[in-house]
Amino acid sequence: MCLAIPGKILSITDEDDDLLRTARVSFGGIVKEISLAGVPEAKLGDYVIVHAGFALAQLDEQEAQQVFTTLRQMEQ
Amino acid sequence: MTDDINTVIEPGLVRPVIEPALVCPAPINQHSQILLAHGGGGRLMQQLLDTVFLPAFANPLLNARHDSAVIEFGTTRLAFTTDSYVVQPLFFPGGDIGSLAVNGTINDLAMCGARPLFLSAGFIIEEGLPMETLQRVVTSMRHAAHAAGVTIVTGDTKVVDKGKGDGLFINTAGIGIIEHTLRIAPGTVQSGDAILLSGDIGRHGIAIMAMREGLNFESTIESDCAALAAPVLELIQAGIDIHCLRDLTRGGLAAALIEIAEAACLQIDIEESLIPVVQEVQGACELLGLDPLHVANEGRFVAFIPAGQVNQTLDILRRHPLGQEACLIGHAQHGTAGRVTLQTRIGVQRIVDRLSGEQLPRIC
Amino acid sequence: MKFVDEYRDKDAAARMAAVIAQVTTRPWTIMEICGGQTHAIVKYGVDQLLPDAITLVHGPGCPVCVTPVELIDKALEIAALPEVIFCSFGDMLRVPGSHRDLLTVKANGGDVRIVYAPLDAVKLAQRHPEKQVVFFAVGFETTAPATALAVLQASRLNITNFSMLVAHVCVPPAIVTILSAQHNQVQGFLAAGHVCTVMGYTEYEPLAQRYRTPIIVTGFEPLDILHGIYLCVKQLEEGRASVENQYARAVRREGSGEAQQLITEVFEVTPRQWRGLGAIADSGLGLRERYAGFDALRRFGAAASGATTPTECISGLVLQGIKKPQECPAFGKRCTPEQPLGAPMVSSEGACAAYYRYRRQPPHSRPTLQETNP
């Protein structure tokens, strides 16, 4: 279920209403207009994970390294 | 071996090409109507060929199932092919229906190693098409033909009622001359042959998809639409012992390799990490849940050549503007006939399957 | 692509597999609930890196697969109406109802369109005021915020020619159904990371305790899945059963308050029929009364009931992880992606379709072909 992929926020529309806020999000150079209604904190340059035109969550750079850190620890 | 192109087979000896039970689990009579997927280059289209067209027209030339038929007149060998173009939109980044119609037919000839010479062009025009649109398409065809050194020598025009066509359909047929003695066909592929790919895949399909209502996205991807005769003829001139060529169109790299593996009765093994895909094509594929292996191309081909000639072939291809990204992607081997395997990015081998029909974007 | 390619690294995957092999001492059966994970597992061959002792079974997490036949029949009926533009995600187009699918309706002149996002359907309705635009809202809690937003926007913009055929389903009730089944063989779960970006994982905590089953919130890339399996096996080996979050780069424990609010504003929990599993209480989402004006079932009449799934199909057992796709007598013979008998063969995320595409024996070689080559 629920194909969702990470993309980078290139620009954000100027909207007072959080529900109508959208961003141009780049997926490896492919750009789509994506709703930011689910991630009101998201800023320019942030990575968000997107499903069906809707940003579900912001990606956490630090947590993203966790898999590799754990892997190194487990191998010791 | 009876698959010599020069051998004449008496009509009575020609067997039905395929026993349906061996090919597809689902008999065609389960679809009482033609679906769009029957034209998608996938399994349904294969069924249509196997159960409708090939049985009806069976003859040795057709049964070869090559991009072009190779016809002999005395010592002269000609390649002859036809193709129809129904692309929407008519104009897309990197090309239009006109350049596509010219290049596509040139490529079908080139994949037999033929030098393309003459084309025909048939236009089916829907009432109401702006004259300026037709003019642009025709101009584009003239440029494409000129660039590839072919001449459009005959044509036809039909106009259908408004609503009975989608603006403009074009059919092109082409004739080329074969100036070498190679037998470039799936039947010539041998175990151990190297498989070279002329460039990155998926551009045409994604460029078209970017413009579709409901999917549309911003991208700078242009179709790879191009005439491939020049690099192929250079390879032949350099003495490369080409065993088989295939341009990648609908159904993508996957469909082309599966067809060759089946026709050659060999197994083909390729490696995912060796297949070039530009980041934008990857991005679009991730977004829509598509596999670049199945996405359409209009200016890429695979070449099956002896393993000993890989470096020489890559040198020649990479010098050519259409082959700068040329690379080795895998090999043919005895293995299981008709099977194509992919070593995935994480190092596991899996089967590459033909799609049912058109690849549909998936979301959930 | 950042946050994608690094999780497909061959070397890291092999190392993670080695670590899994190290901690595994006994046979374990683990279910990934999500169809997207099933697809990734089979596409990349993740399971082939695992020790033999670990069996992966595939859960009911393909919303396209579990949409009941009655609702699909209704969709087909609506899509065939001349005044309707019927919008759907691409994977729904091949899913068969009782007699046909959306592709067939399209072949007969129905205006069926693929959209990427529910909001695209709202835009279509704005552009075509003379038409009725209907969106087929399938999906789990991941998709529900996007469809809820579409309803809210249509409501604010006063778009009256837009409606939705809602088939939303929820994950936790399906987990309970599987765990409480008499023949349950699942010992650990990989929970779907994307659902959890919205819902968080507090709902799973009592389930892990009550059924003494580890539940690992897991991402979708090969390395994520391997990591999720590692965490699950480790718990099983140590006799623990708790919820762990492998997908912390995207998932927080509480999920997304904003997305949950959208869902609650527009939808309410309803009973839902699951294709292959049957009726599950409180497992669906339906439009609240205040948005009933956007309900396609009200606008076009309720769905008929009583449509049946072919009896030969064992999809119910496959979806519960009791049988593997190849164990079905119809698999690859009478049931193929072209002519699916059951739900998991229809979507590319369905377990049967994934096995058919990547695991099936290839077609027999065709000696006749070579012999007839001129």
Side-chain angles (χ1 to χ4, degrees):
Chain A
M1 83 191 84
C2 315
L3 183 79
I5 68 159
K8 186 178 183 178
I9 298 181
L10 299 183
S11 62
I12 299 180
T13 53
D14 196 19
E15 277 294 345
D16 294 335
D17 185 346
D18 275 354
L19 270 192
L20 300 178
R21 257 173 106 237
T22 61
R24 287 172 64 250
V25 177
S26 166
F27 306 93
I30 290 290
V31 179
K32 277 214 70 103
E33 192 186 358
I34 300 297
S35 164
L36 295 184
V39 286
E41 317 273 282
K43 308 179 302 296
L44 224 59
D46 283 353
Y47 276 81
V48 284
I49 188 138
V50 172
H51 166 78
F54 186 90
L56 296 169
Q58 279 171 260
L59 283 166
D60 185 316
E61 296 261 0
Q62 248 175 351
E63 291 289 358
Q65 288 307 312
Q66 202 54 45
V67 181
F68 305 99
T69 318
T70 337
L71 186 57
R72 278 193 296 273
Q73 283 164 357
M74 289 180 305
E75 285 172 328
Q76 275 165 11
Chain B
M1 290 277 283
T2 56
D3 62 341
D4 189 316
I5 209 111
N6 301 318
T7 310
V8 177
I9 299 178
E10 289 173 37
L13 292 179
V14 177
R15 296 213 221 143
V17 174
I18 281 151
E19 296 167 44
L22 285 182
V23 189
C24 294
I28 196 165
N29 60 18
Q30 292 183 333
H31 288 290
S32 57
Q33 283 168 316
I34 291 293
L35 305 180
L36 208 55
H38 279 113
R43 199 177 291 118
L44 280 179
M45 181 156 175
Q46 205 59 41
Q47 269 180 30
L48 202 61
L49 293 179
D50 291 342
T51 59
V52 178
F53 294 120
L54 288 166
F57 305 133
N59 65 68
L61 291 174
L62 181 68
N63 296 354
R65 305 176 77 148
H66 208 352
D67 284 329
S68 303
V70 175
I71 308 164
E72 298 213 1
F73 295 100
T75 56
T76 307
R77 284 203 293 161
L78 293 180
F80 176 42
T81 192
T82 183
D83 211 336
S84 301
Y85 298 84
V86 297
V87 66
Q88 271 300 338
L90 297 178
F91 302 91
F92 48 84
D96 57 75
I97 190 171
S99 56
L100 201 62
V102 170
N103 290 338
T105 291
I106 286 172
N107 292 348
D108 281 347
L109 297 171
M111 293 305 119
C112 296
R115 179 182 300 283
L117 295 175
F118 304 111
L119 299 191
S120 74
F123 297 87
I124 298 169
I125 308 169
E126 186 185 8
E127 189 180 21
L129 182 82
M131 194 62 81
E132 187 257 337
T133 304
L134 184 63
Q135 193 62 52
R136 272 175 73 192
V137 170
V138 169
T139 306
S140 162
M141 290 177 81
R142 180 163 59 89
H143 288 315
H146 179 75
V150 299
T151 321
I152 298 173
V153 290
T154 180
D156 178 52
T157 306
K158 295 284 183 292
V159 178
V160 295
D161 290 337
K162 180 117 191 119
K164 298 272 171 69
D166 199 2
L168 176 63
F169 300 146
I170 299 178
N171 170 275
T172 44
I175 289 183
I177 188 160
I178 297 176
E179 300 163 322
H180 54 80
T181 54
L182 297 171
R183 281 191 298 114
I184 299 175
T188 311
V189 176
Q190 284 166 22
S191 177
D193 277 0
I195 305 165
L196 305 186
L197 172 64
S198 69
D200 65 291
I201 59 169
R203 286 175 186 253
H204 179 73
I206 297 300
I208 296 282
M209 217 171 271
M211 302 185 72
R212 268 202 207 162
E213 189 176 43
L215 294 182
N216 55 319
F217 41 79
E218 295 171 41
S219 88
T220 53
I221 293 190
E222 296 201 341
S223 167
D224 54 351
C225 179
L228 298 168
V232 167
L233 293 173
E234 274 179 45
L235 293 180
I236 293 171
Q237 220 147 33
I240 303 297
D241 182 19
I242 301 172
H243 289 169
C244 185
L245 296 166
R246 182 65 54 108
D247 58 334
L248 313 181
T249 54
R250 281 166 312 180
L253 177 63
L257 293 180
I258 292 167
E259 275 173 34
I260 292 172
E262 287 176 351
C265 285
L266 289 168
Q267 175 170 322
I268 287 174
D269 302 320
I270 55 172
E271 209 172 303
E272 192 171 20
S273 57
L274 298 178
I275 299 166
V277 178
V278 294
Q279 193 166 276
E280 281 193 316
V281 170
Q282 192 202 344
C285 285
E286 300 287 347
L287 195 69
L288 301 173
L290 309 176
D291 189 336
L293 286 180
H294 296 289
V295 177
N297 308 269
E298 287 293 344
R300 298 286 182 261
F301 67 98
V302 285
F304 287 67
I305 55 157
Q309 289 189 315
V310 169
N311 290 338
Q312 192 193 350
T313 311
L314 285 178
D315 284 347
I316 297 167
L317 283 177
R318 285 174 183 163
R319 278 203 300 270
H320 201 280
L322 290 172
Q324 283 169 5
E325 302 288 319
C327 57
L328 173 73
I329 59 164
H331 291 89
Q333 60 140 316
H334 284 303
T336 307
R339 172 181 280 191
V340 176
T341 78
L342 175 83
Q343 192 188 102
T344 69
R345 224 163 262 289
I346 63 166
V348 175
Q349 240 192 4
R350 71 152 164 93
I351 294 171
V352 177
D353 190 33
R354 206 179 244 130
L355 291 181
S356 295
E358 210 186 351
Q359 191 168 213
L360 298 175
R362 63 189 173 90
I363 190 74
C364 27
Chain C
M1 282 173 75
K2 193 176 171 184
F3 294 119
V4 172
D5 293 331
E6 58 265 47
Y7 301 99
R8 295 177 186 174
D9 182 72
K10 185 175 169 180
D11 172 58
R15 286 162 56 207
M16 191 65 85
V19 171
I20 294 172
Q22 251 172 34
V23 297
T24 309
T25 66
R26 278 165 287 168
W28 299 112
T29 299
I30 299 170
M31 172 181 275
E32 84 283 352
I33 301 169
C34 172
Q37 287 168 337
T38 306
H39 191 90
I41 287 168
V42 188
K43 183 178 173 203
Y44 290 101
V46 172
D47 52 337
Q48 295 186 41
L49 293 179
L50 298 175
D52 291 342
I54 296 177
T55 307
L56 289 184
V57 292
H58 317 300
C62 166
V64 168
C65 297
V66 300
T67 301
V69 180
E70 295 83 2
L71 217 49
I72 292 172
D73 284 345
K74 188 66 202 177
L76 299 172
E77 190 189 311
I78 295 171
L81 296 172
E83 72 272 23
V84 165
I85 298 177
F86 194 86
C87 301
S88 169
F89 296 135
D91 25 8
M92 205 67 211
L93 264 60
R94 254 196 280 273
V95 182
S98 301
H99 304 292
R100 50 188 187 152
D101 55 26
L102 283 167
L103 282 177
T104 321
V105 171
K106 187 168 182 279
N108 283 309
D111 191 346
V112 177
R113 303 193 191 185
I114 296 172
V115 293
Y116 165 73
L119 282 174
D120 294 339
V122 178
K123 284 184 198 151
L124 258 176
Q126 277 178 299
R127 277 206 301 280
H128 297 278
E130 77 290 357
K131 291 276 193 179
Q132 283 290 329
V133 173
V134 182
F135 178 71
F136 200 177
V138 298
F140 282 86
E141 295 96 324
T142 327
T143 318
T147 55
L149 186 63
V151 171
L152 282 177
Q153 290 212 356
S155 169
R156 284 194 185 186
L157 298 168
N158 227 346
I159 297 171
T160 52
N161 62 328
F162 174 77
S163 64
M164 221 176 236
L165 188 59
V166 181
H168 279 307
V169 278
C170 305
V171 174
I175 296 187
V176 172
T177 304
I178 290 162
L179 282 174
S180 52
Q182 204 184 351
H183 299 290
N184 170 49
Q185 296 168 2
V186 179
Q187 294 164 296
F189 275 103
L190 305 185
H194 292 149
V195 165
C196 297
T197 58
V198 174
M199 301 306 290
Y201 49 84
T202 51
E203 285 176 289
Y204 300 145
E205 288 165 355
L207 296 185
Q209 284 211 325
R210 191 186 330 150
Y211 295 98
R212 287 188 209 87
T213 307
I215 301 177
I216 316 295
V217 176
T218 305
F220 290 73
E221 297 299 334
L223 201 55
D224 289 321
I225 295 169
L226 285 166
H227 189 203
I229 292 168
Y230 166 76
L231 295 172
C232 193
V233 171
K234 197 150 180 288
Q235 283 202 33
L236 289 166
E237 291 279 349
E238 293 169 2
R240 292 184 294 125
S242 63
V243 177
E244 268 184 279
N245 184 10
Q246 182 280 327
Y247 201 35
R249 65 180 184 274
V251 174
R252 335 267 176 260
R253 181 167 177 270
E254 300 73 26
S256 158
E258 289 79 11
Q260 288 169 25
Q261 256 175 26
L262 282 172
I263 297 178
T264 329
E265 164 66 22
V266 174
F267 297 115
E268 61 191 358
V269 172
T270 59
R272 178 74 72 200
Q273 196 78 26
W274 293 51
R275 192 173 189 166
L277 290 181
I280 304 179
D282 299 335
S283 68
L285 297 173
L287 286 166
R288 286 190 187 277
E289 191 52 40
R290 58 178 174 273
Y291 297 105
F294 294 100
D295 191 344
L297 286 179
R298 294 230 185 161
R299 202 168 291 189
F300 298 95
S305 60
T308 52
T309 312
T311 49
E312 192 181 17
C313 173
I314 61 161
S315 61
L317 300 175
V318 172
L319 291 174
Q320 291 174 70
I322 294 169
K323 294 261 188 197
K324 286 258 185 181
Q326 319 92 304
E327 293 176 58
C328 175
F331 177 78
K333 300 186 184 85
R334 288 168 301 283
C335 182
T336 66
E338 286 74 42
Q339 286 297 315
L341 289 182
M345 186 59 97
V346 294
S347 156
S348 57
E349 287 189 20
C352 297
Y355 271 69
Y356 185 86
R357 175 166 302 164
Y358 300 124
R359 290 293 157 77
R360 180 178 43 107
Q361 288 303 305
H364 299 266
S365 56
R366 301 171 172 180
T368 48
L369 236 183
Q370 179 142 27
E371 284 165 30
T372 51
N373 267 349

